[in-house]
Amino acid sequence: MQASIGIGILGCGVVGGGVAQRLLIGEPRVHGIAHTLHAIAVRSLTSVRADGIPRSLLIDSANALLADRRIDLIVETMGGTTLAAEFVERALERGAHVVTANKALIGSQGPRLHALAARRGVSLRYEAAVGGALPIVRTIDAALAGDPIASFVGVLNGTCNAILGAMEQGGSFDEALADAQRAGFAEAEPSEDIDGLDTAHKLAILVQRAFGAAAITPRLRYRGIRGIDGEALRRYSKRGYRMKLLAVARRDAEGIAAEVAPALVPRDHPLGALEGAQNGILIHARDAGELYLRGVGAGRTATSSAILGDIADVLRSIVARTQRNDLVDEFTPILDIRSIFPDTLAIWNDGFLTSPATQLDAAHSSSAR
Ligand code: HSE
């Protein structure tokens, strides 16, 4: 019988603590596979809030966790790209499997870390990094593994979607942001949400997975929703449009185009109907046609759900003693990623046609005449 598979967690914040609680009650239940949480590395033993987690599991040394040979699988929930990158790299280097929710890390260093994981014959999984509980990475990697993806468009930042929705109803930007912070959706540095960087990390990850291309966040053009005017949102709304922060990518004969930008979307479009912190993504694959995933894109339980799914997958692959080979581990270098949106506010129609939103006002005034 397979010995219990050892797990360690780096970080015990909102997400790390939630994952630890699940592991301690025996989840994920993967038939016949035992697992044991051996340690949780935290920055300070005195300041950590660890409801329901035995203090004996907490250690204040990531080095000790990385050196613990009982641990086969390391879950990284620290965030950031400096220490997290060093620890993930060392974990992979020493032959541990890694599950992470760290979009900044994978967005900016995914291709390099995948190459390392492939060399060491271990898994690197990050379903939680994009779209919270939405199984978008697995949909691309597994379900659509035999079907080339032509394009996708998504709303991938719950904080921005909630702010835009609240302002459309007459709320203020600052109040809506404060609500998102209280709900635990916003980043510790909320400018990453507001200015589009968070969405750009997620777009980079999806371009890596969907197109097998070595796209990293600094190569992408992105804009956010700072300075958006509530009056204008209400005017668009009266005409049947809602502003959404879109992450868009497509692959064609000319290469790859990808960008994050705010755009106007018809209210009855699947992305136009998203409320609050919901995320949604439409994928166009050659044979499957259009697929749509929608759900909770942020927060403790949604993120834990995705991490637990990845842990289950890794447990299965360890027991099967085969390296998962359904992931893209060799990325194609890319010379150029073209941008998509004009500099002015665009309208998102199905497909990739955009037209300046100023035409909306012109069209409305001529039809009103
Ligand atoms: N700040 C992110 C959001 C969290 O608002 O969507 C989930 O990645």
Side-chain angles (χ1 to χ4, degrees):
M1 199 187 118
Q2 172 82 31
S4 182
I5 293 168
I7 302 178
I9 305 179
L10 292 167
C12 194
V14 172
V15 174
V19 171
Q21 286 172 343
R22 296 277 199 276
L23 290 172
L24 287 165
I25 58 168
E27 295 179 4
R29 293 184 208 288
V30 185
H31 183 67
I33 306 178
H35 54 82
T36 308
L37 176 59
H38 288 297
I40 306 169
V42 295
R43 206 172 301 156
S44 149
L45 289 172
T46 46
S47 60
V48 68
R49 281 197 60 219
D51 303 336
I53 297 170
R55 290 260 150 195
S56 58
L57 284 180
L58 300 176
I59 54 173
D60 60 0
S61 164
N63 287 329
L65 188 145
L66 288 165
D68 187 337
R69 289 283 151 186
R70 297 171 303 166
I71 294 175
D72 310 289
L73 163 58
I74 293 178
V75 183
E76 185 273 310
T77 64
M78 304 161 42
T81 50
T82 315
L83 277 178
E86 183 197 323
F87 295 155
V88 165
E89 197 166 331
R90 282 171 51 198
L92 296 170
E93 198 66 72
R94 82 117 159 111
H97 305 272
V98 171
V99 170
T100 177
N102 192 329
K103 57 219 159 185
L105 178 65
I106 303 300
S108 57
Q109 305 185 40
R112 183 179 75 76
L113 294 170
H114 262 289
L116 174 57
R119 259 200 322 279
R120 301 296 298 140
V122 291
S123 298
L124 171 63
R125 311 302 302 261
Y126 40 83
E127 183 64 74
V130 188
L134 273 69
I136 177 62
V137 176
R138 196 164 288 119
T139 298
I140 290 172
D141 278 342
L144 296 175
D147 189 357
I149 292 171
S151 65
F152 58 85
V153 51
V155 168
L156 300 174
N157 185 275
T159 300
C160 287
N161 202 58
I163 291 174
L164 291 170
M167 288 176 71
E168 204 180 71
Q169 297 299 316
S172 82
F173 186 102
D174 291 340
E175 279 167 25
L177 174 58
D179 283 346
Q181 286 174 309
R182 274 191 292 275
F185 296 138
E187 296 302 301
E189 178 42 77
S191 63
E192 293 182 10
D193 295 300
I194 305 308
D195 295 327
L197 178 60
D198 177 87
T199 308
H201 289 313
K202 294 166 180 168
L203 177 61
I205 294 171
L206 294 183
V207 171
Q208 291 167 19
R209 305 303 330 166
F211 304 145
I216 51 170
T217 317
R219 304 280 307 273
L220 298 177
R221 188 163 99 133
Y222 64 87
R223 276 174 281 163
I225 62 163
R226 194 179 290 279
I228 294 294
D229 167 24
E231 273 298 312
L233 294 184
R234 287 187 284 284
R235 209 169 58 240
Y236 301 140
S237 174
K238 280 192 196 124
R239 292 166 196 183
Y241 287 88
R242 303 182 82 191
M243 183 178 285
K244 298 289 168 186
L245 185 62
L246 297 184
V248 185
R250 69 168 182 264
R251 178 171 50 178
D252 55 27
E254 291 168 60
I256 293 171
E259 187 172 347
V260 174
L264 299 181
V265 179
R267 179 175 286 284
D268 56 4
H269 185 277
L271 297 175
L274 293 173
E275 300 291 351
Q278 282 185 321
N279 282 196
I281 184 161
L282 276 162
I283 312 164
H284 259 101
R286 186 193 59 196
D287 302 328
E290 189 172 88
L291 302 172
Y292 183 50
L293 289 172
R294 185 196 69 173
V296 181
R300 179 179 225 188
T301 49
T303 309
S304 298
S305 161
I307 291 180
L308 269 279
D310 276 350
I311 293 174
D313 240 11
V314 173
L315 295 178
R316 285 194 202 101
S317 75
I318 293 175
V319 169
R321 291 193 190 284
T322 55
Q323 185 194 343
R324 292 189 63 88
N325 54 8
D326 57 348
L327 302 177
V328 184
D329 287 322
E330 281 184 30
F331 293 95
T332 317
I334 40 176
L335 295 176
D336 186 33
I337 301 175
R338 288 172 291 123
S339 54
I340 288 180
F341 290 90
D343 288 333
T344 51
L345 179 62
I347 297 174
W348 179 266
N349 289 315
D350 269 342
F352 287 85
L353 295 175
T354 59
S355 56
T358 45
Q359 287 180 11
L360 185 66
D361 290 323
H364 181 76
S365 48
S366 58
S367 64
R369 250 179 249 134

